[in-house]
Structure formats: structure tokens, C-alpha cells
Amino acid sequence: MEKFAFILHPLSLQDMEHLSPLMRYIPDPIIEACLKMKKPFKVSHITGIKSPYAEAEGWFIGCPLTAKQMVELPEEFVMDRIIESGKVAQELGAKIVGLGAFTSIVGDAGITVAKNLDIAVTSGNSYTVATAIQGTKQAAQMMGKDLKECRAVVVGATGSIGAASVRLLAKEVKHITLVARHMGPLEELAQELIEQNHCEVAVSQDIRTSLQEADIVITVTSALDFLIEPGDLKPGAVVCDVARPRNVSRDVSLKRNDVLVIEGGVINVPGDVDFHFNFGFPPHTSYACMAETMILALDGRYENFSLGRSLDINKINLISQLADKHNFKMAGFRNFERAVSTQHIEEVKHNAQHALAVHGC
């Protein structure tokens, strides 16, 4: 039996209400103070994962800090909490631990965590990229788009997931705009793409202007607030929101019936898996980052995998191959905890065609 663990944390104080409805009546500063004092702990035992080649069990480990706290508290304090979480996994018998959400962003993106543990560490970002690109391409094709004629925008283009997404997506589209806060790294990445002659490339620090003509959007920043609102997108746009917390406002889905928003990386896990914890997904499915940790365990690859600020394209290809080997598959599309059906996509496609015809586009 192979063994793994995955570190979770609340993205916001609102997430604490899933644990107890009484949390909504407790002032935020009190909850934050309690979280800061609480030590990492075992959340649940994960059972039933079975591929044609191996079986695995694992554990969810709770790192009791919100995304906001991970950004605002001293980095040394946050890193200590993440390392402590990894040691809980170690004590439970895990041989590899995955870093969920902001635990993979703080500091040097997992490298220091790995140095302080006796087990392997991964962020899960390689499989996150692979499934985000796969899902985006599939959704665009279902919307009737020819990728070779599409204008794409990647928001958060210089982060580890963003840059890897750029390198893969640039091979598929006509034009790509890279958006991030700092112009220097943007221009370096753009120059790399230009030298490889993949497609037309532009850079920008202005999200809203960049989105106006985008056919495809991948957004993957570590922002705590929404970056994309209903008025930012043109009819027919396909948006893959890989970020947690989300970069795309819920209002986009509520107010724009001519735009398709999907979440990156919802994965079917093989076997009769039971997570014994509700993180908002249907039974037998997980985030891609969680799935990467499971895949590596099932394959007996107890080695540091997706760490640091730069992802290896070869590892992205490898984890995709291992996913196929162990029967991990895309589980359709989701958006704000709801399944996105084929019928819904057809409706969005029809509404987009109507909106473009009305506006003479």
C-alpha cells in the first residue's frame, strides 16, 4: 500500500463556516487569532484509491492559516507552520506530501519545505498545468473555436503555473498576451516565445484592456480579490480560472450567459476513493494538484517533483503519462461548485453567436 498526504488550508474565513455554522457569529479577529495559535492536524484518512498497478491511502493535513494570513503574516512564521504540517504527514507514514493552495506559493514554492522534511514534496503544479491546458483546449473546441485563430490571454503569466501555461498554449494559438504586475519578467518570457516563433506575443500590466479581445483566458494569480468582472470579457470568451482563491468574480457566470467559465483541473480518481472530508467536489473527484500527489505515490515515485518558481515541461508531460497509466482522467467541467454540462456550453455558444451578430462583430 502506497502512502501520501496533502496539506489543506482555509482560503478565507468564510470557509470556516463549513466546519461549524456558529463560526459566522464569531468576530473575524478572534477566528484569525485562534487559527494563528492552532497547530497543524490530521483532517481525514483517505481510502480506496486503486489503479491497475497499485493501491494507495493518504491523509489530508490541515494547516490552520487562511490565504490572507499566509500573505500578511511574517514569512518565517508561515513557513514553520507549513513545515510542521509536513511533519504531521511524515509521522502518519506518508512518503510524499502535496502542498495545497497557498502552501505551495509562500517563500520559495516548496523548496525550503522539502529541505526540512524526510519525505518527498510536490506542489502538484505540473498536473495542474497539464489539465488546465487540456480543459481549456477542449472547452474552446466545444465552443466552436479554431485554436490556431484564437487570441489568448494568460493572467499571472510569470508565476510558475502561468509561465508553463504560456509555453504550452503559445504552441496552439495565433496570438498571446502575457499579463502580470512586473514588466521585466514579462518581457523576458515574451522574448523567449518570440525566439521560438510560436505565435504573436504582447505583454501588458493592464488586465481589463488585455481581456477585451481575448477568445481564451487562463488566469492563475495569487490575488486575494477578484480580478475579472462581467464587463471585462467579449461574447464567446472561454475562461479557465486555475487560481485559488478565484480570480473570476461569480458575477461573470451570473450576468454573462455568453461567456464560458470553467475551473482548472477537476479529476476522476480511480478506485472507490473516500476522502472522508467535503472540499466541495463530487464523490471520487479531486483537484489536479491533489491528484498529482496520488499519482506519484501510486507509481512509487517518492521524489521531489513540482517545486520552485519554474516548472519543467518534461515533468508536465511525464505526469500526464503517469495519470493515463493509473487511470486518472478529466471529470468534465465545473464552475463555482457546479457541473458545467454540454447543454450549458451549447447555450453559451448560441448566446455568444447572437450577441456578436447583434453588435456586428
Side-chain angles (χ1 to χ4, degrees), residues 4-226:
F4 70 93
F6 191 84
I7 300 174
L8 303 167
H9 71 91
L11 294 176
S12 66
L13 292 177
Q14 285 67 42
D15 285 349
M16 302 302 295
E17 294 178 13
H18 294 304
L19 300 178
S20 171
L22 295 176
M23 289 289 184
R24 73 183 66 179
Y25 302 110
I26 302 174
D28 289 356
I30 293 177
I31 298 177
E32 288 177 340
C34 291
L35 289 174
K36 187 177 176 182
M37 290 187 294
K38 187 171 178 59
K39 294 292 187 180
F41 59 98
K42 182 184 84 170
V43 174
S44 71
H45 182 207
I46 304 166
T47 59
I49 301 171
K50 185 176 182 179
S51 86
Y53 300 95
E55 297 182 38
E57 64 174 339
W59 298 268
F60 280 140
I61 310 298
C63 183
L65 294 173
T66 65
K68 181 172 178 284
Q69 286 177 305
M70 289 195 175
V71 170
E72 295 181 352
L73 289 171
E75 184 178 299
E76 184 177 356
F77 175 85
V78 177
M79 288 297 297
D80 285 345
R81 277 288 188 273
I82 298 170
I83 292 167
E84 287 174 13
S85 302
K87 289 182 177 177
V88 172
Q90 207 168 271
E91 290 166 3
L92 287 167
K95 298 179 182 178
I96 186 168
V97 62
L99 304 177
F102 274 52
T103 66
S104 68
I105 295 172
V106 176
D108 52 13
I111 294 173
T112 295
V113 176
K115 288 178 180 177
N116 284 273
L117 296 178
D118 296 325
I119 58 176
V121 179
T122 188
S123 67
N125 285 347
S126 293
Y127 197 43
T128 295
V129 170
T131 55
I133 297 298
Q134 180 184 349
T136 300
K137 288 167 58 178
Q138 183 180 340
Q141 289 163 356
M142 292 175 74
M143 285 285 288
K145 296 183 182 297
D146 180 355
L147 287 170
K148 293 179 181 178
E149 297 302 318
C150 283
R151 300 179 69 87
V153 173
V154 177
V155 182
T158 54
S160 60
I161 295 176
S165 297
V166 164
R167 292 184 176 103
L168 292 172
L169 193 58
K171 300 175 182 179
E172 307 280 352
V173 298
K174 177 181 181 180
H175 183 284
I176 192 164
T177 299
L178 318 181
V179 180
R181 288 180 297 176
H182 302 295
M183 190 59 70
L186 279 175
E187 291 176 340
E188 289 179 14
L189 182 55
Q191 186 59 39
E192 174 191 322
L193 297 179
I194 291 168
E195 290 173 357
Q196 293 171 355
N197 295 315
H198 283 321
C199 64
E200 299 171 12
V201 184
V203 298
S204 176
Q205 295 171 297
D206 186 337
I207 294 176
R208 284 179 168 77
T209 300
S210 301
L211 293 175
Q212 289 175 2
E213 298 301 320
D215 301 298
I216 293 172
V217 179
I218 294 180
T219 181
V220 58
T221 82
S222 55
L224 299 177
D225 299 317
F226 296 131

